[in-house]
């Protein structure tokens, strides 16, 4: 097995870890259809701290050190602009269907099977749109994990961990509307899991697009761009959700706790891995 093949397998394993975290979010819905949104907000804040730490203190920092201040910043902001454009074409993932439960109960009280059927169709449609949006989000995340794994196990592990935590609330966002529309826990779980599998699919596709011996400067630049993508994802989606569900003060604490956790994990990871293993 060549070096590239082993890197693809490592990236696939890491992206599966991240992608299947949507299943954990779906399990929250299966076990408890009205999950604790404050806990989800804190989890999102913690994941945001991990992502910001990776983006600024790892990926962007290493890109600037490797290819220079100007090139590093250009790659970073190219990633920001790229993902900002992409998000305009992706439906926004949301946990709003929780409020739909109240509307559903109100409709039931008012009576009318046709109204309920129409409402369920709308909620089901919102679940499918959310699943499509999250799949589109997970695809570039899989590409990011692959590029990180080429650079070293540390970068790939860090990205996979942060993305995995980020994907748990996304699993809830998919499973909730599907469950309320179909009353089927299995359908809710299945659709959430499928939306996460876009991540390893991203690894497979990018593995066959990129040459086996990528220019180190281009790789460092691409990782700087990944840092920009992760920073935009964090500030545009994760922090607002964390503020909404956990409150600003608690969410900010969770963010800094996430950053501290990532710093500690980097330290212990470097000390525990064999000396000949790439970091």
């Amino acid at each position: 097995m060549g070096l590239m093949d082993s890197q693809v397998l490592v990236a696939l394993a890491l992206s599966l870890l991240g992608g299947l975290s949507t299943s954990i979010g779906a399990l929250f819905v299966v076990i408890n259809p009205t999950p604790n949104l404050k806990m989800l907000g804190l989890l999102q804040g913690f994941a945001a701290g991990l992502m910001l730490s990776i983006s600024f203190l790892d990926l962007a920092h290493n890109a600037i050190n490797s290819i220079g201040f100007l090139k590093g910043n250009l790659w970073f902001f190219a990633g920001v602009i790229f993902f900002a454009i992409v998000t305009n074409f992706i439906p926004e993932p949301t946990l709003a269907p929780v409020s739909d439960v109240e509307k559903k109960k109100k409709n039931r009280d008012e009576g009318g099977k046709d109204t309920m059927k129409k409402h369920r169709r709308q909620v089901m449609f919102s679940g499918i749109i959310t699943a499509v949006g999250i799949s589109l989000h997970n695809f570039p995340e899989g590409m990011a994990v692959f590029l990180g794994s080429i650079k070293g196990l540390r970068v790939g592990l860090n990205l996979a961990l942060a993305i995995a935590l980020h994907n748990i609330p996304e699993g809830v966002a998919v499973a909730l509307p599907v469950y309320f529309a179909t009353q089927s826990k299995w359908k809710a779980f299945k659709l959430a899991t499928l939306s996460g599998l876009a991540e390893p699919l991203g690894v497979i596709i990018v593995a066959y697009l990129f040459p086996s011996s990528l220019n180190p400067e281009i790789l460092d630049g691409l990782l700087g761009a990944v840092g920009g993508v992760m920073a935009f994802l964090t500030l545009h989606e994760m922090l607002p959700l964390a503020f909404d569900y956990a409150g600003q003060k608690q969410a900010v604490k969770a963010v800094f706790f996430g950053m501290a956790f990532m710093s500690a994990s980097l330290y212990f990871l470097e000390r525990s891995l064999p000396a000949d293993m790439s970091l």
Side-chain angles (χ1 to χ4, degrees), residues 3-275:
L3 177 62
M4 190 65 174
D5 291 336
S6 63
Q7 287 173 334
V8 172
L9 287 176
V10 169
L12 263 177
L14 291 175
S15 64
L16 275 170
L17 167 72
L20 291 177
S21 294
T22 55
S23 302
I24 299 174
L27 278 176
F28 284 150
V29 174
V30 169
I31 295 168
N32 177 20
T34 52
N36 186 332
L37 290 183
K38 184 175 182 181
M39 183 57 66
L40 284 173
L42 290 173
L43 182 67
Q44 194 80 323
F46 180 78
L50 298 182
M51 297 276 264
L52 288 175
S53 182
I54 292 169
S55 299
F56 293 111
L57 304 180
D58 192 0
L59 298 176
H61 175 75
N62 287 340
I64 289 170
N65 283 343
S66 301
I67 59 178
F69 184 83
L70 179 60
K71 286 183 179 178
N73 273 279
L74 286 174
W75 276 102
F76 178 86
F77 285 105
V80 171
I81 293 168
F82 166 75
F83 207 68
I85 293 170
V86 167
T87 52
N88 285 329
F89 300 97
I90 297 177
E92 285 292 320
T94 175
L95 295 178
V98 171
S99 63
D100 287 340
V101 185
E102 295 174 6
K103 292 179 185 176
K104 179 180 171 184
K105 288 178 180 175
K106 189 176 179 181
N107 285 339
R108 184 183 288 125
D109 293 337
E110 291 173 357
K113 290 182 179 179
D114 290 340
T115 305
M116 280 304 302
K117 282 182 180 178
K118 182 181 178 182
H119 180 70
R120 282 187 174 177
R121 281 198 300 271
Q122 290 172 338
V123 174
M124 183 64 184
F125 181 71
S126 75
I128 292 171
I129 290 297
T130 302
V132 170
I134 286 172
S135 297
L136 292 171
H137 272 107
N138 286 344
F139 187 79
E141 287 173 359
M143 297 170 69
V145 170
F146 174 74
L147 291 170
S149 299
I150 292 179
K151 182 69 176 177
L153 184 60
R154 176 180 62 82
V155 180
L157 272 173
N158 291 344
L159 284 171
L161 174 63
I163 288 168
L165 287 170
H166 168 57
N167 282 353
I168 292 173
E170 290 188 344
V172 175
V174 174
L176 266 177
V178 175
Y179 173 70
F180 287 126
T182 66
Q183 298 298 302
S184 169
K185 292 180 177 181
W186 166 242
K187 286 181 181 177
F189 181 81
K190 182 171 65 175
L191 193 59
T193 301
L194 286 174
S195 70
L197 291 179
E199 199 163 308
L201 182 64
V203 170
I204 293 169
I205 291 175
V206 80
Y208 288 101
L209 288 178
F210 278 82
S212 56
S213 54
L214 201 60
N215 183 308
E217 184 172 322
I218 293 177
L219 177 58
D220 285 323
L222 284 169
L223 285 170
V226 168
V229 168
M230 295 295 126
F232 183 88
L233 177 67
T234 303
L235 298 174
H236 183 259
E237 294 179 17
M238 297 170 71
L239 276 182
L241 273 179
F243 287 171
D244 284 346
Y245 294 121
Q248 187 174 339
K249 288 184 178 179
Q250 295 300 319
V252 168
K253 289 176 185 176
V255 168
F256 282 108
F257 184 72
M259 294 181 77
F261 180 86
M262 178 53 69
S263 297
S265 71
L266 292 179
Y267 175 75
F268 289 114
L269 183 62
E270 288 183 359
R271 290 183 64 88
S272 61
L273 287 175

